[in-house]
Amino acid sequence: MTEHITKRSRNRNGLLPYLIVSPYLIHLLLFVLFPVVFSIVLTFHKWNIISPMEYVGLDNFKRLIQDRLFWKAILNTLQFLLVHIPLQIIAALALAYFLNQKIFMRPFFRAAFFMPVVISGVVVTILWQQLYGLETGLLNRLLIGLGLNRVEWLSNPVIAMISIAIMATWKNVGLYVILFLVGLQAVPRSYYEAAEVEGATAWQQFRYITLPAINPTIFMVVILSTIGGFSLFIEPYIMTDGGPLNSTLSAMLYIYKQAFGYYHMGYSVTLGLFFALIIVAVVVIQKLAIEKQD
Amino acid sequence: MAVIKFEHVTKNFGKITAIRNVDLEIRDKEFMVLVGPSGCGKSTLLRMIAGLEEISAGSLYIDGQIVNDLPPKDRDIAIVFQNYALYPHMTAYDNLAFGLKIRGFKKSAIKEKVLEAARVLEIEPLLDRKPKAMSGGQRQRVAIGRAIVRDPKVFLFDEPLSNLDAKLRGQMRLEIASLHKKLQATIVYVTHDQVEAMTLGDRIAVINQGEIQQIDTPQNLYNFPKNRFVAGFIGSPPMNFIDGVIRRSAKGLFFEDSSGALYAAAPQALEAYTCRNIVMGIRPEHLHVRPEKEAERYASFNAEVQLVERLGHESFAFVRLHGTPIAARLAPEDAPEANTTMTLYAAIHRMHFFDKETGKVIA
C-alpha cells in the first residue's frame, strides 16, 4: 500500500523537479556548455561571423606560437600583476590596519574606501583620465604647482602600465580591505595584550602576531587579485587602447581586439583558451607554493 | 619584593562604573585571590595591575612606586590569560622564548631559561609542538611557562582553569599552589570559583559590583563573613537565609522566623534589633538531624523534604520551612526520603545575623 502511494506520488511529481531546475539548466546549456563546446570547435576553424566557418586544422595554434604581439600582451599583463598585487596587498593591509583602530568617523571611512568597488569600471577609468591628463590632469598640475616636472602618466610606455596598475589598485582595494578587516578582527585581543606585557612594540606585534595570524587572508588576496588582474581590460581599453607602443596592451584586450576588431573569431577563441590555461597554471603554482609554506 | 597597593581606585567604562573606590594591599609573596560573580570587576582589577586597563581615578602602587601611567612591559609582571593566548603559529618553545627575544636576550640565555621553565612545569616533550597539537591542560602549562620564564615580580592569573575539565582543574590547582611555593613570588589570581579561591589563596578579596566586600583568610571568610553577600558567596551549597524578627522574653532575646516555626536564642548584641526584621543565616553543614554535642544548644524545626542529593560520602537535603528553601548537609545514613517531613537541629552558636536593609552582619 505504502509502496503504491510512493510510486504514485513520484509519478505525479514526475516533471515538477525538472521544471524547477529548468531555468538553471537552460542557462547552463545556453551560456556555459554551448560556448565551451563551440569554442573548442572554433579553435580549428577560421570564421569572421558572416562567411561560413572554414576548417584550418592546427593553424590557429601555429599562429599563436608565432604571434609576438600576443606574447607581449601576456608579458604586459604579468608586468601589471607585478605592480598591482604587491601594491594591492600593502595598500589594503595598511588601510585595514588603520580602519581597525579606534579612529574618528570609522564607519564613514570604511564605507568610503569601499565605494570605488561598486562604482562602474568605466566611470572610474574616465575619472582617472582626468587625474592622469598630461597638460590639464590634476596630478600634473599638482606636480607643477609643487615645482616638479610633470609625468607622462599614460603616454610614456614605461610608466603607462604602472599608472594603470595604480588605478586598478584604487578601484579594487576596498574589497581586499574588507577581507583583511575580517582577518584582523579574528585575531584575539589577548594575543596583543600578552605581547604588550612581554614588551613587544606596535611593529613587533604586527610582525610577529598580526602578520602570521592573517597569513591565510594574504594568500587569498594574492590568488583573488591574480585572477582579477589577469582579466585587466576596461582600464586600457578606455584609457589607452593598449598604447603607447602596445605597452598597455593586456592579454584580454588583445583577445578582444582579435575578435571584435578584426573578426578573427577562431583565432581569438584559441588565444582565450590558451590564456585560461595560463591563469589556471599560475593559480595552481601559487596554491602549491602556499601549501608548501604552510 | 613586590607589594601592590590600590588606593581609592575607580574605573569607569563610559557611564558605567566597573570599580568603585577600591583600597587593597597585596603583600609581598602573597597569593591573593580576587573572587566574585561574573561582571563584578575582578578581572578589571587584575588588568589594571597589568597595565592593560587605564585607571580612571586613584593610584596604583607597585613597591611604593605609582604605576598608573607605566606601560605594561615596565611593570615586571606576567599574566596568564583565561584562553591562554598562546600564539598559534609558534611552537611551545617559541611561545616561551618570545618575551625574552623581544627583550633582546642572547640565544643561549633564552634556551637556558626556556629549558629551565619547561623542566619546572614538566613540558619538555611539548616544546616542539604548536598549541593546536596540545590538550587544554598542556596549553595551560605552556601558558604558565611563558609567565615564569621571565622570572617577574608579580604573576597575574585571569581565570586560568576555567577552560579545563573538573578533574584537570583539581590537578592544576595543586600544581599552581606548589608553583607558588617554589617561585616565592606575589601572585594575584582571579576566579569565580570559590573552591579555587578557598584552596589557593593566602587571602581572598571578595568583590561584588565593583566594590570589595571583604578581604580575609579563607577560614575567616567562612567563619566570619562581614555581610550577607560574602556569607552567601563562600560555601557550597550556600548559606541558608531565614527572615524573622528579634523578640524579647523573660529568658532573654530570641529569634523567631517569619512563619513562627523556628525559635532560637539570640545573642545580646541584637538588643537594638528587638522587634525589628532581621535575617538569620545558617550554613547547610550546621544543620543536623539530632543534637550533635551535649554542651551545645540547638534550635529544632520541622521542614518538608523536597529533594535529596546523595553524593556517596554525604547527602544534601533540600527542604522548605514554610516556603523558605533550606539546604542541609547530612551524613549519608541520615538522608531523609523526599516528600516527607523531617526535624532539623540548627546549631545556635553557628548562626549569623544580618541587618535586613544593609545586609551587614550584626552578630
Side-chain angles (χ1 to χ4, degrees):
Chain A
M1 184 71 184
T2 30
E3 199 178 305
H4 179 67
I5 288 173
T6 351
K7 231 178 190 173
R8 258 190 66 171
S9 60
R10 197 179 290 159
N11 278 342
R12 204 186 300 157
N13 282 342
L15 278 175
L16 191 64
Y18 297 99
L19 203 68
I20 290 170
V21 298
S22 63
Y24 176 73
L25 220 60
I26 291 168
H27 172 265
L28 185 78
L29 287 171
L30 218 59
F31 296 105
V32 181
L33 280 180
F34 169 70
V36 166
V37 174
F38 187 54
S39 304
I40 293 170
V41 172
L42 262 184
T43 56
F44 302 103
H45 292 81
K46 198 173 162 183
W47 188 43
N48 64 4
I49 303 184
I50 302 157
S51 336
M53 279 193 258
E54 183 188 328
Y55 180 78
V56 293
L58 293 175
D59 276 6
N60 283 329
F61 293 94
K62 283 180 201 155
R63 188 172 156 196
L64 181 155
I65 293 164
Q66 288 159 359
D67 188 346
R68 298 177 78 161
L69 199 52
F70 177 63
W71 292 109
K72 179 164 175 55
I74 296 236
L75 217 64
N76 285 341
T77 309
L78 291 177
Q79 222 170 41
F80 166 80
L81 289 177
L82 217 62
V83 180
H84 174 64
I85 294 174
L87 199 64
Q88 185 86 84
I89 289 171
I90 292 168
L93 188 53
L95 283 172
Y97 185 80
F98 288 109
L99 291 174
N100 198 32
Q101 313 290 322
K102 284 177 188 149
I103 53 166
F104 177 66
M105 299 225 303
R106 189 164 72 170
F108 168 79
F109 285 114
R110 283 185 179 180
F113 283 108
F114 192 70
M115 279 287 279
V117 178
V118 286
I119 296 175
S120 144
V122 177
V123 173
V124 168
T125 309
I126 292 171
L127 202 76
W128 276 75
Q129 248 172 345
Q130 308 298 314
L131 290 177
Y132 279 153
L134 188 61
E135 301 290 344
T136 53
L138 287 175
L139 284 177
N140 273 350
R141 278 203 206 166
L142 191 71
L143 289 177
I144 290 166
L146 290 170
L148 299 166
N149 289 332
R150 64 180 192 192
V151 176
E152 297 172 311
W153 294 107
L154 296 172
S155 43
N156 182 326
V158 181
I159 298 173
M161 200 45 136
I162 299 173
S163 303
I164 286 181
I166 292 172
M167 178 183 76
T169 305
W170 181 85
K171 161 100 173 83
N172 297 319
V173 78
L175 184 66
Y176 301 114
V177 165
I178 289 192
L179 293 179
F180 276 127
L181 266 177
V182 172
L184 288 175
Q185 280 166 8
V187 185
R189 214 161 70 112
S190 56
Y191 288 4
Y192 296 110
E193 290 177 343
E196 208 182 326
V197 172
E198 302 270 22
T201 59
W203 165 248
Q204 285 169 326
Q205 288 179 30
F206 181 78
R207 164 78 186 76
Y208 293 114
I209 296 162
T210 311
L211 267 188
I214 60 167
N215 231 352
T217 315
I218 295 176
F219 292 144
M220 187 163 73
V221 170
V222 168
I223 288 184
L224 286 179
S225 56
T226 304
I227 296 171
F230 269 125
S231 54
L232 176 70
F233 172 72
I234 293 179
E235 293 89 343
Y237 177 66
I238 293 176
M239 266 186 160
T240 58
D241 196 28
L245 303 174
N246 290 322
S247 64
T248 61
L249 182 70
S250 71
M252 287 296 268
L253 182 56
Y254 183 65
I255 293 167
Y256 170 86
K257 281 184 168 184
Q258 284 295 337
F260 302 105
Y262 317 129
Y263 296 101
H264 297 156
M265 288 301 166
Y267 184 49
S268 153
V269 161
T270 312
L271 295 178
L273 283 177
F274 181 76
F275 188 50
L277 287 181
I278 292 183
I279 297 178
V280 171
V282 169
V283 171
V284 166
I285 290 169
Q286 279 180 342
K287 197 169 173 292
L288 289 178
I290 290 162
E291 281 166 358
K292 202 176 166 191
Q293 215 179 44
D294 247 8
Chain B
M1 261 294 283
V3 178
I4 301 163
K5 197 170 147 201
F6 287 86
E7 215 174 70
H8 307 306
V9 168
T10 293
K11 170 73 191 179
N12 302 313
F13 289 106
K15 282 182 184 161
I16 298 160
T17 302
I19 298 291
R20 206 184 301 268
N21 198 23
V22 159
D23 286 302
L24 170 66
E25 184 168 333
I26 300 161
R27 298 166 190 152
D28 186 34
K29 300 193 177 91
E30 184 172 39
F31 199 124
M32 169 63 84
V33 177
L34 309 179
V35 70
S38 295
C40 71
K42 54 193 189 299
S43 282
T44 307
L45 276 178
L46 188 87
R47 292 165 58 82
M48 282 175 164
I49 302 175
L52 296 171
E53 216 71 76
E54 270 180 41
I55 294 168
S56 306
S59 308
L60 174 67
Y61 299 85
I62 297 180
D63 285 342
Q65 182 200 1
I66 290 198
V67 295
N68 285 32
D69 300 318
L70 200 67
K73 67 180 169 69
D74 298 328
R75 297 188 181 202
D76 200 8
I77 47 137
I79 182 163
V80 178
F81 291 89
Q82 180 177 356
N83 64 356
Y84 318 133
L86 294 174
Y87 309 125
H89 54 278
M90 295 184 197
T91 61
Y93 182 95
D94 290 332
N95 265 290
L96 260 63
F98 183 70
L100 301 170
K101 199 168 116 187
I102 292 288
R103 281 167 200 248
F105 279 77
K106 278 200 183 119
K107 261 197 172 164
S108 55
I110 293 177
K111 191 171 179 188
E112 194 180 312
K113 280 171 182 285
V114 169
L115 291 181
E116 169 63 17
R119 196 186 53 75
V120 171
L121 289 162
E122 295 168 19
I123 51 171
E124 288 124 314
L126 303 176
L127 285 177
D128 292 332
R129 283 199 219 165
K130 287 187 180 176
K132 217 168 28 181
M134 294 180 216
S135 68
Q138 290 171 330
R139 282 179 212 172
Q140 182 60 68
R141 258 171 231 269
V142 175
I144 294 174
R146 188 171 63 180
I148 68 171
V149 75
R150 273 195 295 115
D151 195 20
K153 278 197 294 203
V154 182
F155 288 92
L156 307 175
F157 288 82
D158 191 359
E159 308 216 18
L161 305 186
S162 51
N163 288 1
L164 302 180
D165 64 59
K167 197 176 156 202
L168 206 52
R169 213 179 300 155
Q171 189 189 331
M172 285 306 289
R173 218 163 54 209
L174 291 176
E175 288 191 27
I176 290 176
S178 75
L179 196 66
H180 177 230
K181 279 206 191 99
K182 245 184 264 176
L183 296 174
Q184 291 287 312
T186 308
I187 291 183
V188 187
Y189 187 104
V190 162
T191 180
H192 62 262
D193 183 326
Q194 52 144 327
V195 179
E196 268 172 46
M198 297 293 279
T199 51
L200 286 172
D202 292 328
R203 284 194 305 157
I204 299 173
V206 183
I207 300 162
N208 189 34
Q209 296 186 338
E211 292 180 69
I212 292 187
Q213 305 291 319
Q214 188 171 355
I215 309 168
D216 215 328
T217 60
Q219 199 58 52
N220 279 349
L221 282 180
Y222 178 84
N223 288 340
F224 312 109
K226 270 190 183 164
N227 59 41
R228 203 176 146 168
F229 179 82
V230 176
F233 195 81
I234 302 291
S236 173
M239 184 184 281
N240 302 299
F241 294 107
I242 301 167
D243 284 336
V245 279
I246 294 296
R247 298 206 188 282
R248 188 194 298 275
S249 76
K251 284 194 219 161
L253 297 176
F254 67 94
F255 169 83
E256 179 189 348
D257 88 299
S258 45
S259 65
L262 168 64
Y263 297 88
Q268 201 54 41
L270 293 173
E271 175 93 59
Y273 283 82
T274 312
C275 294
R276 278 172 64 186
N277 287 331
I278 201 166
V279 177
M280 186 269 278
I282 180 109
R283 293 195 184 276
E285 44 274 38
H286 300 138
L287 293 170
H288 310 284
V289 292
R290 66 189 75 82
E292 291 272 295
K293 290 174 192 156
E294 282 281 324
E296 279 174 15
R297 292 164 68 199
Y298 294 87
S300 66
F301 59 96
N302 291 326
E304 300 146 38
V305 182
Q306 304 246 302
L307 188 78
V308 180
E309 281 183 356
R310 292 166 208 277
L311 302 181
H313 64 296
E314 62 184 5
S315 307
F316 295 123
F318 296 94
V319 305
R320 271 178 190 275
L321 171 64
H322 288 274
T324 306
I326 291 174
R329 184 196 297 262
L330 305 173
E333 62 274 15
D334 291 336
E337 292 300 318
N339 301 318
T340 58
T341 302
M342 74 183 302
T343 305
L344 282 168
Y345 291 80
I348 285 175
H349 75 287
R350 292 292 200 170
M351 288 179 180
H352 303 260
F353 294 95
F354 303 95
D355 186 298
K356 195 169 164 72
E357 269 81 51
T358 64
K360 282 189 178 145
V361 77
I362 309 159

